[in-house]
Every structure is written in structure tokens, then in C-alpha cells.
Amino acid sequence: MLIAGNWKMNLKYEDILKFKDILTDLKLDNQVEMAIFPQFPLLYSAKEYLSNYNIEIGAQACSSELKGAFTGDVSVEIISDIGCKYCIVGHSERRMFHNETNGFIKKASNLLLSKNIIPIICVGESEEIKNKKNTNQFIISQINECVPDNISSNLVIAYEPLWAIGTGVIPDYEEIFNVHAVIMNELSYIENLRVIYGGSVNVENCSKIFELNNVHGALIGGSSLKFKDFLAIYKSAVKQII
Ligand code: PGA
């Protein structure tokens, strides 16, 4: 399982140290990975301070180009140099505010794979699509347009329904199970594929989500900023393994 904390545009340098302090009596289970995704300028410090604790570090986004005149963008080369294991690609906020398209996501994912960074590709339907009962069809087309063609391993898909992000509302557990099954089926040729759920995961709902046997972890926004909650969610994932 993968428990990933997407800090978005929150928290500062001093919070990395506070996060480190709270880890002292945490026993990481080797079947449940913990990863955090701080803002770019914090990645290096996060790597430096947290690597002793076996916490993985990831970037929240990347450019689809390797280098050049792309002011403000960040290359996968730098993300790789810092030692990030993961990079989120196509988060709905990037799709919405930075026009990241499925084509962009595919290109960026290819670059990430070429640098041995595991892409966490985000997919998810809007409320309108859900209400029209077109979720499965929509997710299948997102998957087909975003996932690199020749990929055989090293991929995480985050299923994040747009209407569940930051709203406190989550799908029925059965709905999560069904969409994860669709994704697993579509990408059954990928070895060790992990499909994680994201959108309003919290201390109260996480154990029921982790009970679903095709949920391989969670991408957590708001609750990852409250470190005690994030750790409690991690422990709930560990309990599910035992
Ligand atoms: P949330 O965010 O947990 O605050 O809903 C999840 C995400 O956007 O990845």
C-alpha cells in the first residue's frame, strides 16, 4: 500500500522539521509505504531530513519537457536528482488551473519513467459525468489517453473523483471498488499496478476504504496537513495488512 500526503501549496520549511519530530516513534511497516509531496523548494530538505525514516518524497507536478525556455516549470531531471521516487501527474487542480491535458500527462509520464520516477497519474470524473452514469466510460478514456504506451510496470493510478476533492464527501465504498476494478481491468498488463483512492480521505473513513481489496493506498490532501491524522491514516492502512 502507498499512503501519500499531497501537501499542495501549504506548509513551510519549519513544518518539515515538525513532521520529522512526530515520526520518532512511528514504526513503518515494510508493506505500507509513506510518501509526502511538499512544494518544490522544500523537496531537497524533505529528502535530507526524512530519508533516515524511510519516508519517500515526491513532486506534485512536472514539466512535459526535459529542459529549455519554459519559465517557471520544473524538469524531471531535477526531480530525479533530488531523489524523488514519485511524481503526481495530472492532478485535477493542474488540469484545471494549468491546462494539463491527457496528452501532456502521457508525455510527462514518459519522461518520468525514463528517469525511473514512478508517475502517480490522477483520473476522476466530474459530478456531472457521475450523474449521467458515465463514470466508467470517462475513466477508461482518461486512462487510455494518459498512460504511456509501452509501460509494463511502475505505475500508480490515483482515482480522485473531482466532486470528492476537498469537499468532505466520498463515493459509496461500492463505487470506489467498482471504479478501481475498471482501472485494474483496463491496465491488467501492468505489473505491480497500484490504484490508490483520493478525495476527502480522513481518519473516520479511511479504514472502510482500505478494507476494499482493490484499494492499494490513498492520496491525501487536507488530512495530510494534520500530521497526527496522517499518521493515524497510515496506521489504519497497516492494520489492514496484518
Ligand atoms: P483532499 O485532497 O484529501 O483534501 O480531498 C486530495 C487530493 O486532492 O489529492
Side-chain angles (χ1 to χ4, degrees), residues 9 34 44 66 78 83 91 100 123-124 126 164 170 184 197 207:
M9 204 170 72
M34 183 188 282
Y44 186 78
L66 210 47
I78 300 297
H91 187 279
E100 291 189 4
V123 296
S126 65
I170 63 164
M184 295 288 291
Y197 170 77
S207 66

Side-chain angles (χ1 to χ4, degrees), residues 6 8 91-93 160 164-167 198-201 219-223:
N6 177 10
K8 308 192 180 186
H91 187 279
S92 63
E93 287 146 18
E160 299 207 306
I165 295 176
T167 58
S200 295
V201 175
L219 183 55
I220 303 153
S223 295

Side-chain angles (χ1 to χ4, degrees), residues 54-235:
N54 291 322
I55 310 287
E56 298 295 346
I57 306 299
Q60 297 177 11
C62 66
S63 172
S64 65
E65 303 292 334
L66 210 47
K67 62 169 127 182
F70 301 100
T71 304
D73 284 348
V74 175
S75 164
V76 298
E77 272 185 342
I78 300 297
I79 296 171
S80 160
D81 282 355
I82 290 172
C84 290
K85 178 167 179 181
Y86 296 102
C87 181
I88 300 171
V89 212
H91 187 279
S92 63
E93 287 146 18
R94 301 292 305 177
R95 290 177 186 261
M96 202 175 357
F97 303 127
H98 295 269
N99 299 323
E100 291 189 4
T101 60
N102 291 340
F104 170 98
I105 293 161
K106 189 184 219 172
K107 200 168 165 202
S109 298
N110 263 319
L111 278 185
L112 288 164
L113 291 165
S114 75
K115 297 284 169 199
N116 294 321
I117 299 169
I118 301 175
I120 301 181
I121 297 180
C122 299
V123 296
E125 80 287 2
S126 65
E127 191 159 25
E128 196 188 343
I129 291 169
K130 169 189 150 64
N131 291 341
K132 285 188 183 150
K133 302 201 183 326
N134 279 341
T135 298
N136 290 357
Q137 227 18 65
F138 181 79
I139 298 291
I140 288 172
S141 65
Q142 273 194 324
I143 295 275
N144 288 335
E145 289 173 28
C146 293
V147 172
D149 296 330
N150 297 322
I151 187 169
S152 56
S153 62
N154 283 342
L155 181 69
V156 178
I157 300 287
Y159 170 52
E160 299 207 306
L162 306 193
W163 49 274
I165 295 176
T167 58
V169 183
I170 63 164
D172 294 340
Y173 298 110
E174 197 187 332
E175 269 174 79
I176 298 177
F177 182 87
N178 289 342
V179 176
H180 278 229
V182 166
I183 297 170
M184 295 288 291
N185 183 49
E186 202 60 23
L187 298 175
S188 57
Y189 59 93
I190 298 180
E191 229 178 281
N192 301 327
L193 171 73
R194 283 171 291 172
V195 185
I196 65 177
Y197 170 77
S200 295
V201 175
N202 61 32
V203 178
E204 281 80 41
N205 60 27
C206 64
S207 66
K208 280 258 186 297
I209 295 172
F210 296 147
E211 270 172 27
L212 304 169
N213 65 14
N214 59 9
V215 170
H216 308 115
L219 183 55
I220 303 153
S223 295
S224 73
L225 305 178
K226 300 176 223 150
F227 297 154
K228 286 208 168 110
D229 285 10
F230 187 58
L231 260 49
I233 293 170
Y234 178 85
K235 285 178 186 163

